[in-house]
Amino acid sequence: MTQQWVEGWVWGGNVRPLLELLSRYIGYRFDDIDYETVEAALPGTDDERPDGWYAYPLVGVDRVVQVRLANAVGSDVVCVEIFGLDTEELWIRADTLLSAFASG
């Protein structure tokens, strides 16, 4: 496995389900406190600034996945980068989540 990260975007309303499902895949229970933390940070983000991204670690049973999020300026889209995808299966799942939550 060479590529250990994936990037894409999701609709703003899909940030929580994305993080909940991704967390489930690594053995972490993403809860209300996690989401409140992410939700509070998102308004100050900006995908056009290198320092405008918010990073949130998801610490699972035996792996850590780092998720970076930033609002796309002028839209309802949140840009996402996911790092620490140490298996092909996890990479495929993360990539699929990004595709699914960018739909509709």
Side-chain angles (χ1 to χ4, degrees):
M1 170 91 195
T2 57
Q3 186 173 4
Q4 295 190 355
W5 64 279
V6 66
E7 64 182 348
W9 63 272
V10 298
W11 294 109
N14 289 335
V15 170
R16 184 175 185 149
L18 166 73
L19 296 175
E20 287 175 340
L21 285 171
L22 184 59
S23 294
R24 185 176 302 158
Y25 296 152
I26 65 165
Y28 178 71
R29 186 178 176 276
F30 190 86
D31 61 21
D32 290 340
I33 294 172
D34 291 301
Y35 185 66
E36 289 167 7
T37 302
V38 171
E39 186 178 43
L42 273 176
T45 63
D46 178 345
D47 72 320
E48 295 180 354
R49 289 190 352 249
D51 65 343
W53 289 70
Y54 176 70
Y56 195 78
L58 301 174
V59 182
V61 176
D62 59 356
R63 65 172 52 110
V64 176
V65 171
Q66 184 84 268
V67 180
R68 287 179 15 110
L69 306 157
N71 284 310
V73 177
S75 74
D76 294 330
V77 165
V78 175
C79 297
V80 181
E81 297 176 343
I82 305 169
F83 297 89
L85 305 172
D86 59 354
T87 66
E88 185 174 358
E89 177 185 0
L90 186 56
W91 187 91
I92 290 169
R93 286 180 170 199
D95 188 56
T96 301
L97 287 175
L98 289 176
S99 295
F101 289 125
S103 299

